Amino acid sequence: MNTPCNFTEKDITRAIAESFFKSFNDCIESDCIIVGGGPSGLIAARDLALAGKKIVIIERNNYLGGGFWSGGYLMNKITIKEPAQEIFEELKIPFTEYKQGLYVADAPLACSTLISETAKAGAKILNMTSFDDVVLRDKKISGVVINWTAISHLPRSIAALDPIALESKIIIDATGHDAKVCGRLAEQGIIKMKGMGTMWVEESEKVIVEYTDEIYPGLVICGMAVSTVFGLPRMGPIFSSMLLSGKKAAGIILDKVTKDEIRDTKDENIKSSIV
Ligand code: 48F
């Protein structure tokens, strides 16, 4: 039976505003900010959140998932190769074996399940929020500068609106092909970016995971951003290395973020794209 409302429009607005700002306040200082909510960023966020870390995902679109919604060419089936089917088993995403070692799954089901598991693990999500810059203090990344995505699409004459900053112990660049966070450091001559290589699936699936690492103090890269930074081959609509790379990024961070030790990261352990 439908009961009468004992609230009005103002209560709905207050419920949203109060709950949003409480949640937003929690995003201002975190253990890890993940820029980009595609498959690599989502799985990293989920693993870190499950390990008890305070995680914030920054996503410029109004929806999460990045390229995981489609298997390319507007066909909504995706592929993975072994051993990434174990991640699907862990997430309870159904899949079938197409041929030995190659699996196919329904993209909307896989993508929505990964999003749901990430949110349920406790990762905070700021959607319609674009990465704009890094906070770089004493040669360590200490946060990100963000703004509403809409701002960058408006004429400057009506949208000269300053961004704001969030702080965290470590950042992940999971912005896919664009490698936006790394791009900002490259613009400043701090790191080098080679640009994404051409397609070679067997090689790419292997090296993207291998090269997933902390590439500058406080900055880890995963997913297709790794290809763009190191000039590694791309792989097209197969997502195993995206998931494995995101998991590796989370593992690297869990090793480092023991209490506040991340701030003592030794520069000499860092891979070589620093200029
Ligand atoms: O592109 P995306 O899915 O990155 P990924 O996790 O996976 C790549 C695959 O989808 C596919 C592939 C291999 O299978 O070739 O492309 O590496 O997700 C990147 C996310 O980052 C967001 C973007 O909207 C997408 O959801 N993003 C990009 N730039 C920004 C951003 C930005 N400046 N601020 C916030 N989010």
Side-chain angles (χ1 to χ4, degrees), residues 15-57:
I16 294 168
E18 283 171 21
S19 134
F20 174 78
F21 284 108
K22 186 166 175 289
S23 178
F24 185 75
N25 195 34
D26 245 9
C27 296
I28 293 172
E29 196 178 358
S30 61
D31 290 318
C32 177
I33 294 173
I34 297 170
V35 186
S40 66
L42 286 170
I43 196 85
R46 174 210 176 244
D47 283 11
L48 287 165
L50 282 181
K53 301 297 170 196
K54 196 173 168 191
I55 304 304
V56 178
I57 301 175

Side-chain angles (χ1 to χ4, degrees), residues 11-260:
D11 299 301
I12 297 172
T13 307
R14 279 198 184 112
I16 294 168
E18 283 171 21
S19 134
F20 174 78
F21 284 108
K22 186 166 175 289
S23 178
F24 185 75
N25 195 34
D26 245 9
C27 296
I28 293 172
E29 196 178 358
S30 61
D31 290 318
C32 177
I33 294 173
I34 297 170
V35 186
S40 66
L42 286 170
I43 196 85
R46 174 210 176 244
D47 283 11
L48 287 165
L50 282 181
K53 301 297 170 196
K54 196 173 168 191
I55 304 304
V56 178
I57 301 175
I58 304 291
E59 171 53 54
R60 72 177 167 194
N61 288 334
N62 199 19
Y63 59 90
L64 296 166
F68 205 37
W69 287 107
S70 146
Y73 200 67
L74 292 181
M75 294 182 288
N76 66 2
K77 299 286 175 190
I78 47 160
T79 57
I80 47 166
K81 96 179 232 315
E82 62 186 358
Q85 83 281 6
E86 289 167 10
I87 302 173
F88 273 29
E89 280 161 2
E90 187 187 330
L91 296 171
K92 299 193 172 46
I93 298 170
F95 60 87
T96 53
E97 191 172 48
Y98 179 73
K99 63 185 290 186
Q100 198 191 352
L102 178 64
Y103 303 90
V104 65
D106 183 65
L109 181 54
C111 192
S112 59
T113 305
L114 178 56
I115 294 168
S116 160
E117 290 302 311
T118 304
K120 281 194 276 183
K124 301 262 177 219
I125 297 156
L126 291 175
N127 51 342
M128 290 298 280
T129 301
S130 286
F131 165 85
D132 186 66
D133 206 345
V134 292
V135 178
L136 180 55
R137 204 181 285 140
D138 296 331
K139 296 195 171 168
K140 285 196 178 79
I141 307 287
S142 308
V144 295
V145 180
I146 54 162
N147 217 334
W148 279 334
T149 298
I151 299 297
S152 57
H153 296 282
L154 292 171
R156 207 162 159 71
S157 54
I158 59 164
L161 198 71
D162 263 337
I164 55 169
L166 310 176
E167 291 191 30
S168 72
K169 292 172 187 157
I170 195 156
I171 309 296
I172 300 182
D173 186 347
T175 55
H177 301 250
D178 294 345
K180 285 282 186 188
V181 184
C182 297
R184 183 67 187 111
L185 294 187
E187 265 172 36
Q188 291 293 303
I190 296 167
I191 65 166
K192 287 179 287 197
M193 286 218 316
K194 290 195 172 161
M196 186 173 62
T198 49
M199 197 178 285
W200 182 12
V201 67
E202 306 97 295
E203 180 69 2
S204 176
E205 282 283 276
K206 180 166 58 91
V207 289
I208 285 194
V209 183
E210 267 172 35
Y211 276 73
T212 298
D213 212 335
E214 185 180 26
I215 61 152
Y216 187 80
L219 176 63
V220 171
I221 52 172
C222 69
M224 281 310 289
V226 179
S227 158
T228 301
V229 170
F230 290 106
L232 306 176
R234 65 195 297 184
M235 86 295 294
I238 182 159
F239 291 84
S240 354
S241 58
M242 298 299 102
L243 299 171
L244 294 166
S245 164
K247 273 192 167 286
K248 182 175 175 189
I252 290 166
I253 290 170
L254 286 175
D255 279 349
K256 286 173 180 276
V257 185
T258 41
K259 307 270 184 309
D260 280 333

